[in-house]
Amino acid sequence: MSNGGELRYVIGQNAYIKLILHALKHKTSSVNGVLLGRLSGDVVEITESVPLFHCSQIGLLPPLEIALIMIEEYYSSQGLSIVGYFHANERFDDLELGTVAKNIADHIYRYFPQTAVLLLDNKKLGALRNKKDTAPVMQLYTRDSSRSWNVANRITTKEPSANILLLDFTSSEKWNDIVDFDDHLDDISKDWLNSELFK
Amino acid sequence: MVSKTEESQLQQLENQVENRGGGAWEYLSLVRKLKLRRSDKVLKHGLTILNDPKKRSALGPDEWTLYEQVAIAALDCQCLEVAKDCIKVLQKKFPDSKRVGRLEAMLLEAKGSWAEAEKAYSSLLEDNPLDQVISMRRVAMAKARGDILGAIEWLNKYLEIFMADHDAWRELAEIYVSLQMYKQAAFCYEELILSQPMIPLYHLAYADCTSAIAQLTKGRNNEDKEISGLAAAALEKDYKQSSPSKLSLLSSTLRSLKIQ
């Protein structure tokens, strides 16, 4: 069994970009999303993500529960399971993992102890335009057997050009095409899988 | 609260303006009327009008309203220079105006000069203690600084005076939900449902709150199988029609929630 202290986390660029575009689409509220992937030796590979909610009711449990069940069910047929959670705070300079985020993270931890919790770092995201950086603009948190979520520095993007592609999409305002679970609940014809997004 | 017709009207105008089909002033007026937050678009299209002397004079007295709208949008987008310029124009036209004074205080807020902004708001409130917008700015500032408990305190004080302000009740409810204080949030939604029972959003949010409370206190309660069964059937019908690819996912989700 892998020692949690040596686990690495790698996020694929599609999963990565989707989450950030979602945050950019809803600049004035907190957003969250779920990470899907698999544990492979001492690496947690995050290969997919589903943006969940952007409304200010983000702390409500029933829609979250339904979303998680549906998402888990869909991706299990592809051999993927829920491996983490993404959260972006409402305020620009808020780099704290708040109670709502922690509670949802704890919930996922029960099913997958190597859960990755990613918090968007707005300052790093803003700085991307001026400073070329290949590191993901997110803060990684992991949890050991204690109850607290601790910052870890073990996340990289699978493709080194992920941030360049992200900047590209940002300037073309690609975030308008993102559909999250909230949008789906409003209009069920909207596809939270975003299957057409990167085509 | 925006109705479906207003929403589609807005979308239409927005697409038209974005694709250079004209109608910028109608779009900006609609955004103002519905009190929506579309600051990046307001800034873009508002400036196009303001920077064109012909278009500006065509507005007549509405020109000043547009300056105000664009100033606020600029503050939201952190384009402080643009905001400063708009405010300067308004200061020249309306010296000693309380409304312009408000904008100056908002500029301080946007810069992050919290103490100065607080002083400015307090002095404006001394002359005008019943100014709703300024009282609300106090709440907004507390929230922006991350002082959520302060925001709650100010908001409660505000609601004691302006208890018919639905947006304030909604804001308070949302803050409570973010702190997972579902009982208090439910109280706010009750107030909203009592005064505006025809708005489905409040009922939905209230239902979410009460079910969250129920879930946290005694776990799932499956007593009313009939209603949940009917709801499940209605959902499946909807999905068959509008989202058939997800129908099987829905069915198994409902099964695992034991609603089918």
Side-chain angles (χ1 to χ4, degrees):
Chain A
M1 175 109 101
S2 259
N3 176 0
E6 283 158 25
L7 263 181
R8 277 188 307 120
Y9 294 82
V10 177
I11 181 165
Q13 73 183 10
N14 283 359
Y16 174 68
I17 291 177
K18 225 189 273 185
L19 295 168
I20 300 187
L21 287 179
H22 183 223
L24 287 172
K25 185 173 183 185
H26 304 286
K27 290 189 178 93
T28 55
S29 52
S30 25
V31 300
N32 58 5
V34 89
L35 310 173
L36 297 132
R38 54 171 78 85
L39 175 60
S40 220
D42 61 353
V43 179
V44 173
E45 295 172 352
I46 303 163
T47 51
E48 263 302 349
S49 61
V50 176
L52 286 172
F53 305 107
H54 63 266
C55 65
S56 25
Q57 312 289 338
I58 212 170
L60 287 174
L61 307 173
L64 176 69
E65 198 184 332
I66 297 179
L68 289 178
I69 297 179
M70 275 189 150
I71 293 171
E72 176 84 41
E73 167 100 19
Y74 177 82
Y75 282 104
S76 63
S77 60
Q78 294 180 15
L80 299 175
S81 57
I82 296 183
V83 298
Y85 172 72
F86 168 79
H87 193 97
N89 284 325
E90 190 178 14
R91 286 186 354 262
F92 177 78
D93 52 5
D94 185 0
L95 205 52
E96 197 196 309
L97 197 63
T99 16
V100 171
K102 275 202 198 126
N103 285 340
I104 301 177
D106 284 336
H107 181 79
I108 298 181
Y109 174 83
R110 262 180 271 145
Y111 296 97
F112 185 69
Q114 294 87 354
T115 294
V117 175
L118 298 176
L119 186 67
L120 182 64
D121 185 331
N122 291 302
K123 292 212 179 101
K124 279 202 193 141
L125 177 60
L128 269 185
R129 230 167 296 170
N130 304 322
K131 178 180 106 160
K132 296 303 170 214
D133 193 354
T134 54
V137 294
M138 300 164 176
Q139 182 105 281
L140 167 71
Y141 292 82
T142 53
R143 194 181 130 176
D144 50 27
S145 44
S146 76
R147 302 209 71 213
S148 55
W149 290 92
N150 304 310
V151 179
N153 263 327
R154 292 171 263 121
I155 181 153
T156 49
T157 52
K158 182 159 171 226
E159 298 88 341
S161 52
N163 279 333
I164 299 182
L165 193 54
L166 174 64
L167 282 174
D168 220 11
F169 280 142
T170 307
S171 39
S172 63
E173 298 197 353
K174 185 91 174 152
W175 59 69
N176 285 318
D177 300 338
I178 287 257
V179 172
D180 65 8
F181 214 82
D182 248 335
D183 300 327
H184 177 77
L185 291 178
D186 268 342
D187 176 356
I188 53 177
S189 65
K190 294 211 171 122
D191 177 22
W192 47 262
L193 287 170
N194 288 294
S195 26
E196 303 295 306
L197 185 66
F198 294 117
K199 295 234 166 84
Chain B
M1 282 266 54
V2 184
S3 70
K4 262 229 145 88
T5 27
E6 284 164 339
E7 174 81 48
S8 51
Q9 197 184 1
L10 181 77
Q11 224 13 84
Q12 209 183 9
L13 270 172
E14 201 170 86
N15 290 337
Q16 193 185 324
V17 183
E18 286 284 299
N19 293 321
R20 300 167 191 273
W25 177 243
E26 286 75 22
Y27 173 68
L28 293 166
S29 303
L30 188 57
V31 168
R32 218 171 36 243
K33 175 174 152 217
L34 299 174
K35 296 204 199 150
L36 297 173
R37 193 173 183 178
R38 292 276 199 280
S39 303
D40 47 355
K41 301 218 158 56
V42 168
L43 186 57
K44 188 161 89 173
H45 302 300
L47 277 181
T48 317
I49 298 183
L50 289 176
N51 286 332
D52 180 338
K54 249 203 301 204
K55 289 198 183 135
R56 217 170 56 218
S57 51
L59 293 176
D62 285 332
E63 180 185 349
W64 315 112
T65 320
L66 185 58
Y67 270 113
E68 189 187 30
Q69 190 179 9
V70 170
I72 297 181
L75 290 174
D76 207 9
C77 297
Q78 273 283 309
C79 297
L80 299 182
E81 288 309 317
V82 174
K84 247 191 257 179
D85 290 338
C86 293
I87 295 177
K88 263 204 206 112
V89 171
L90 287 168
Q91 273 165 341
K92 238 170 100 176
K93 175 75 184 172
F94 304 103
D96 301 328
S97 154
K98 292 270 170 341
R99 203 158 147 181
V100 180
R102 212 161 58 195
L103 287 176
E104 288 161 5
M106 280 169 83
L107 177 60
L108 288 168
E109 224 190 300
K111 279 204 207 145
S113 316
W114 308 117
E116 290 178 45
E118 172 66 51
K119 248 195 290 184
Y121 285 135
S122 300
S123 84
L124 284 166
L125 272 175
E126 258 170 37
D127 301 327
N128 219 348
L130 290 179
D131 188 322
Q132 278 186 281
V133 176
I134 297 185
S135 308
M136 256 312 188
R137 285 320 309 164
R138 266 228 186 98
V139 177
M141 262 207 314
K143 215 175 159 203
R145 288 155 99 169
D147 181 12
I148 300 291
L149 295 177
I152 293 182
E153 204 189 303
W154 280 120
L155 203 38
N156 273 314
K157 280 203 190 114
Y158 174 90
L159 282 167
E160 269 166 40
I161 311 174
F162 305 107
M163 50 190 91
D165 187 341
H166 303 129
D167 289 329
W169 281 111
R170 254 180 79 204
E171 182 70 42
L172 187 57
E174 283 163 9
I175 294 180
Y176 280 136
V177 167
S178 74
L179 295 171
Q180 307 193 293
M181 295 164 72
Y182 296 118
K183 272 215 184 75
Q184 289 83 341
F187 177 79
C188 297
Y189 284 122
E190 281 166 4
E191 290 287 327
L192 285 166
I193 292 176
L194 279 174
S195 54
Q196 289 185 298
M198 70 299 262
I199 296 194
L201 173 69
Y202 302 150
H203 295 267
L204 282 175
Y206 184 59
D208 278 335
C209 278
T210 44
S211 86
I213 296 174
Q215 241 180 324
L216 290 172
T217 49
K218 48 184 169 160
R220 171 143 289 112
N221 181 351
N222 264 333
E223 271 173 22
D224 213 329
K225 287 228 155 103
E226 197 191 336
I227 293 192
S228 29
L230 289 172
L235 256 182
E236 292 199 303
K237 188 160 154 235
D238 268 343
Y239 266 79
K240 221 185 217 153
Q241 199 173 32
S242 312
S243 189
S245 60
K246 301 225 168 47
L247 180 57
S248 57
L249 258 187
L250 174 75
S251 305
S252 59
T253 303
L254 293 173
R255 266 195 306 271
S256 42
L257 289 170
K258 300 206 176 68
I259 302 182
Q260 239 186 1

